[in-house]
Amino acid sequence: MSLRPANRDQLRDALAAGDGPGAPPRHVAIIMDGNGRWAKARHLPRVMGHRKGVEAVRKVVEAAPGLGIEVLTLYAFSSENWRRPADEVSDLMGLLRHYLRTEIAELHANGIRLRFIGDTAALSDDVTLMLDQARTLTAANTKMTLVLALNYGSHDELLRVTRALAADVAAGRIAPAAIDAAAVEARLDTAGLPPPDLVIRTSGEQRLSNFLMWQAAYAELVFTDELWPDFGAASLAAAVATFSQRDRRYGGR
Ligand code: FPP
C-alpha cells in the first residue's frame, strides 16, 4: 500500500476556495454492506465475500488521505453480528486477526493512527491484545485516523455512557443539571474525534443500523447500490464529490 503524499491542508483549502466543489468531509464513516450478496452472486461461500471485503478496506484506507479525509470509520463488526452463525462470526474474527497481523506495520509506516470503538473488552483476549498494541504503536501518527468499529452498536454505546454518567452523579462528580452534550460526547467511544460529516452505506440498503446514531446527527448520507467488495478508490471519490455538492444547514435557515 502506498499513500498519496497529498498535503491535506492545501487540498482542503483548494477544494474550499470556490472554483471546485465544497470542502471535503473531515470524517467519513462507512457501513460496509453486501459481502454476502457478492459471494452468493458468484456461488461462493460467504467468507469469500468477507475476504474480498477486506481488499476493499485496503483500497479505501489507501485512497482516503489523498481525498482530504482526516478520520475514516469502518463498521467492521456490530454488536448484533454475534447473532450470525458461529462459523461466520469465527471467519470475521479470523479476518480481523489477519488484517491486524499483516497490515499494522504498513499502516504505521504510512502515518495512520488506529482507534477502535465498540465494546472491545468483550472480544477474545488475543484480539484485545492486538488492538491495544495497534493503538499504542500508531498513537502519534497524524496522516489519518482509521477507526474500526468492533462489537459496536449505538444503543450499547449510549447505555455505557448513561451508566458512566449515573456513576458520576452517584459519586457526586457531576450534577444532573450539568449533564450537557459535551458531557455525553466526552464519554462516547468517539471522544475527541470530529463527528462524521458523511456516512456511506453500500449495497442499496438505506438505514443506519445502530451506527453512530448520536455522532451522525448532522451527517450527510450517501447510499450506493455497489456491493462492498466492489467498492474502491473511485467509489469513495464519487461519494466525496456527492457530499461536496450538498448544502449543509445544521438546522439553520
Ligand atoms: C456486511 O455484509 C459486512 C459485514 C457484516 C462485515 C464487514 C467486514 C469486512 C468487510 C471484513 C472485515 C473487516 C476488517 C477491517 C478486517 P453482509 O455479510 O451483511 O452482506 P449481505 O447483506 O449481502 O449478506
Side-chain angles (χ1 to χ4, degrees):
M1 187 176 82
S2 66
L3 296 170
R4 271 173 39 199
N7 179 324
R8 189 167 58 210
D9 293 334
Q10 279 176 7
L11 182 67
R12 290 183 66 84
D13 290 349
L15 287 167
D19 52 357
R26 289 184 70 190
H27 182 171
V28 175
I30 309 184
I31 303 174
M32 309 180 287
D33 199 4
N35 295 349
R37 275 162 284 170
W38 185 93
K40 192 173 178 195
R42 289 160 181 78
H43 308 287
L44 294 169
R46 289 178 65 82
V47 66
M48 296 304 289
H50 295 314
R51 264 188 217 160
K52 194 79 182 163
V54 178
E55 284 177 33
V57 166
R58 282 195 199 100
K59 288 179 196 159
V60 297
V61 172
E62 186 180 335
L67 292 167
I69 295 167
E70 295 172 31
V71 182
L72 177 67
T73 298
L74 302 177
Y75 205 3
F77 192 88
S78 81
S79 43
E80 286 70 41
N81 284 154
W82 297 109
R83 292 189 208 136
R84 294 190 176 209
D87 59 345
E88 185 172 353
V89 170
S90 162
D91 287 339
L92 285 167
M93 289 299 153
L95 284 171
L96 175 64
R97 282 187 185 90
H98 187 256
Y99 181 79
L100 293 169
R101 240 182 251 125
T102 57
E103 299 283 322
I104 293 305
E106 194 158 4
L107 290 169
H108 182 47
N110 285 317
I112 306 293
R113 179 172 72 133
L114 264 291
R115 255 185 84 163
F116 306 97
I117 59 170
D119 187 5
T120 53
L123 300 172
S124 63
D125 289 348
D126 69 312
V127 172
T128 51
L129 182 65
M130 287 167 117
L131 301 185
D132 283 344
Q133 287 171 343
R135 193 187 297 108
T136 306
L137 176 71
T138 64
N141 291 342
T142 56
K143 181 101 176 170
M144 185 181 77
T145 300
L146 172 62
V147 184
L148 296 184
L150 297 168
N151 193 23
Y152 177 85
S154 288
H155 287 183
D156 176 67
E157 179 186 40
L158 290 168
L159 287 172
R160 288 186 282 110
V161 168
T162 305
R163 284 185 209 117
L165 281 168
D168 286 345
V169 168
R173 287 188 289 267
I174 189 168
I179 296 173
D180 55 10
V184 171
E185 280 162 8
R187 290 164 179 80
L188 289 169
D189 296 345
T190 50
L193 297 172
D197 302 292
L198 168 61
V199 175
I200 301 168
R201 184 171 189 148
T202 58
S203 89
E205 308 293 343
Q206 301 194 359
R207 49 181 179 270
L208 286 179
S209 296
N210 209 12
F211 188 47
L212 302 176
M213 299 295 286
W214 173 288
Q215 298 89 335
Y218 289 101
E220 295 295 325
L221 309 180
V222 168
F223 300 107
T224 165
D225 287 338
E226 233 176 339
L227 302 175
W228 176 251
D230 294 324
F231 201 88
S235 326
L236 182 63
V240 165
T242 300
F243 168 88
S244 300
Q245 308 299 325
R246 299 269 177 95
D247 181 19
R248 302 185 81 193
R249 291 199 290 272
Y250 300 96
R253 278 184 288 147

